[in-house]
Amino acid sequence: MEKKPHFVRREFLPRDVPSISLALLLAAVLLLNALLYLYLNKFYTSLGRVETERGLCPFGHFRFGTVKNCSPWLSCEAINREVRKLKCVGEGAVKKVFLSEWKEKKVVLSQLTNSELKEDFLHGLKMLKALQSKHVVRLLGYCEQQFTILTEYHPLGSLRGLNETLHIPKYKGMNTWHRRLMLAIDYVSVIRYLHSSPLGTLVMCDSNDLDKVLSQYLLTSDFHVLVNDLDALPLVNRSAGRLVKCGHRELRGEFVAPEQRWPYGEDVPFQDDLMPPYDEKTDIWKIPDVSNFFLGHVEGSDIVRLHLFDIHAACKKKDPAERPSAQEVLDTYRKVLTLLIREAAMPGTREML
C-alpha cells in the first residue's frame, strides 16, 4: 500500500513536465510579444514626437535646437543683421546654398541664382511655409525681397551620401537591414504626407532619376529623412479635372513612370502641348527603386526585399489606377518591419510550438 502513491507519482511527472514546459514557452512568447509591442510603440511614438513638438509653435514660428521657447521666423532685417555666411556648399539650377551661422549655431542660407526661375524659388518658399511638419526641413526665416530662405542645418547632408555615411566608424552600427528599412519607411511617409497634404495632393516632380530624388532629401543626425527641396510640387485636383506635368521637356528612361514618357513613338517629335498630363501615381512607380537604394546590400536586406516583392510589383503596374496609394505602401512597409522584428526576436518559436 505504501508503494502505490510512489507509483502514481512517477506516472504523473512525465505528463506534468511537458505541460509546465509548454506553459513556460507560451509565457516567454507572450513576454517577447509584449516587449516587441512596447518597442514598436516607442518607435512610432518617436516618429510623431517631432511633429508634436513643432505643433506647439504657432504658424510663423519655430523652435531651434534645445531651446523650448518658440521664436518668430527671422525677417529680412534679422537675416541681414544676424546671419553670417561661412561657405558655399551647393548650387542648383534655382539657388545657391551657403553654410551659415546664426547665434553661434550652424544654419543654411539659400539664395536665388537665376532671376528667370524666381517663380520656382517663391513656389518652393510657399510650400516650405505651408508644409512645416516632421517630414519637412525646419524653416527659420526668409526674405522675399532678397530671395533668401533660412533653414535648419543637417551635417549629414542629402541622401546621396547615405552609403558613405554608413561606412563612417561612428555610424557603422546603423548599417543594418532594420535601420535601412526604417529610412525607407520615412521616405514613403514623406510621399504619403505630400499626397494628403494640407494643400491637397502634391506630386514630387524633381524626381526624374534616382540621384535627383536623393538630392531632394536630407538625412538627420538621428537617422530620419526630411524633404528639403519643394520647388517643384504641382497640385493634383481630380474633382476639378486638374492633373500635372513635370516640366515641359521630354522625359526618358525606366526610372520615370510610363505615363511620363512620350506616348506617340519616335516617329512623332515631342510637343509639350500634346503630352498627356498625369497624377501622383508617378511617385508610387518610383518607390521600389528608391527603396532598393535604401536597403542596400547588407545582411538581411534580401529577406526584406522578398517580403516587399508583392507591394513593389503593384507599384510597377503600367496602369496608374492599379497602383496602390502611398498610404497602402506605408502600411505594408510597417507590417513587414513588425513581422521581421518579431521573427528576429523569436527565431524558431513556430517550430517549437
Side-chain angles (χ1 to χ4, degrees):
M1 294 293 291
E2 293 179 359
K3 292 182 179 180
K4 194 170 184 179
H6 181 66
F7 175 76
V8 171
R9 196 179 301 124
R10 285 175 60 192
E11 189 176 37
F12 170 77
L13 284 172
R15 293 179 181 175
D16 192 47
V17 170
S19 64
I20 292 174
S21 298
L22 181 60
L24 290 173
L25 178 60
L26 289 172
V29 170
L30 290 173
L31 177 61
L32 285 170
N33 271 290
L35 292 173
L36 177 64
Y37 171 80
L38 291 173
Y39 169 79
L40 291 173
N41 184 62
K42 182 180 178 181
F43 165 63
Y44 290 123
T45 301
S46 70
L47 289 181
R49 189 175 298 138
V50 179
E51 187 169 28
T52 302
E53 289 175 352
R54 287 185 181 180
L56 296 175
C57 290
F59 179 80
H61 294 70
F62 69 93
R63 186 172 52 252
F64 191 57
T66 58
V67 178
K68 293 182 178 181
N69 296 328
C70 296
S71 302
W73 287 336
L74 273 64
S75 63
C76 296
E77 181 183 357
I79 291 174
N80 291 332
R81 185 179 65 251
E82 301 173 14
V83 177
R84 181 171 66 93
K85 290 181 185 177
L86 299 178
K87 63 177 180 179
C88 179
V89 292
E91 184 173 3
V94 178
K95 55 184 176 286
K96 185 177 288 189
V97 180
F98 296 90
L99 175 63
S100 304
E101 192 174 59
W102 173 67
K103 293 187 176 179
E104 300 183 348
K105 296 182 178 68
K106 297 290 191 301
V107 293
V108 173
L109 186 70
S110 301
Q111 291 186 318
L112 177 69
T113 54
N114 186 345
S115 59
E116 294 180 358
L117 297 175
K118 66 180 181 181
E119 293 303 321
D120 291 340
F121 184 89
L122 293 175
H123 175 75
L125 173 59
K126 176 185 175 182
M127 295 293 105
L128 195 55
K129 290 161 62 179
L131 298 177
Q132 284 293 289
S133 72
K134 68 175 182 178
H135 304 291
V136 180
V137 68
R138 185 180 278 114
L139 177 64
L140 306 179
Y142 64 92
C143 180
E144 285 193 35
Q145 297 93 321
Q146 298 175 7
F147 297 101
T148 58
I149 299 173
L150 192 70
T151 53
E152 191 173 20
Y153 172 61
H154 293 279
L156 296 183
S158 80
L159 289 177
R160 280 174 171 170
L162 174 63
N163 289 324
E164 289 75 13
T165 297
L166 288 171
H167 283 94
I168 297 173
K170 179 181 178 180
Y171 299 112
K172 278 190 175 181
M174 297 286 195
N175 196 18
T176 63
W177 70 263
H178 171 242
R179 178 59 64 174
R180 283 175 170 271
L181 178 55
M182 287 167 63
L183 290 174
I185 288 174
D186 272 1
Y187 165 71
V188 177
S189 296
V190 173
I191 299 299
R192 187 277 312 268
Y193 176 67
L194 294 178
H195 288 185
S196 56
S197 81
L199 301 178
T201 302
L202 300 169
V203 180
M204 192 64 170
C205 268
D206 267 345
S207 58
N208 297 336
D209 57 60
L210 178 60
D211 191 63
K212 186 64 175 176
V213 170
L214 299 176
S215 71
Q216 308 301 302
Y217 296 86
L218 295 172
L219 180 64
T220 68
S221 296
D222 59 350
F223 270 70
H224 287 287
V225 173
L226 299 175
V227 63
N228 181 50
D229 197 329
L230 304 173
D231 294 344
L233 281 181
L235 178 69
V236 169
N237 188 338
R238 282 193 186 81
S239 60
R242 181 180 177 182
L243 300 177
V244 304
K245 288 192 287 187
C246 291
H248 304 286
R249 298 178 181 178
E250 182 179 3
L251 301 179
R252 295 176 177 267
E254 294 299 316
F255 188 83
V256 296
E259 63 270 23
Q260 291 185 279
R261 303 171 207 152
W262 179 242
Y264 303 117
E266 295 289 340
D267 296 334
V268 180
F270 176 81
Q271 295 184 56
D272 181 47
D273 57 341
L274 296 180
M275 179 67 199
Y278 34 83
D279 61 19
E280 77 280 4
K281 290 299 183 74
T282 57
D283 290 334
I284 304 300
W285 171 274
K286 298 161 188 173
I287 286 176
D289 299 302
V290 180
S291 289
N292 186 55
F293 167 81
F294 278 121
L295 294 176
H297 300 286
V298 297
E299 183 180 355
S301 62
D302 286 342
I303 300 298
V304 178
R305 288 185 178 90
L306 183 63
H307 280 81
L308 296 176
F309 180 84
D310 288 342
I311 191 67
H312 283 174
C315 291
K316 291 294 188 178
K317 294 279 189 181
K318 187 173 182 180
D319 182 355
E322 295 181 5
R323 295 174 204 154
S325 66
Q327 183 65 62
E328 291 170 322
V329 178
L330 180 59
D331 290 343
T332 301
Y333 274 41
R334 286 175 170 169
K335 287 176 183 175
V336 167
L337 176 63
T338 302
L339 173 66
L340 292 178
I341 291 176
R342 181 180 291 121
E343 289 183 352
M346 299 180 293
T349 300
R350 190 174 299 171
E351 290 77 3
M352 292 171 66
L353 290 171

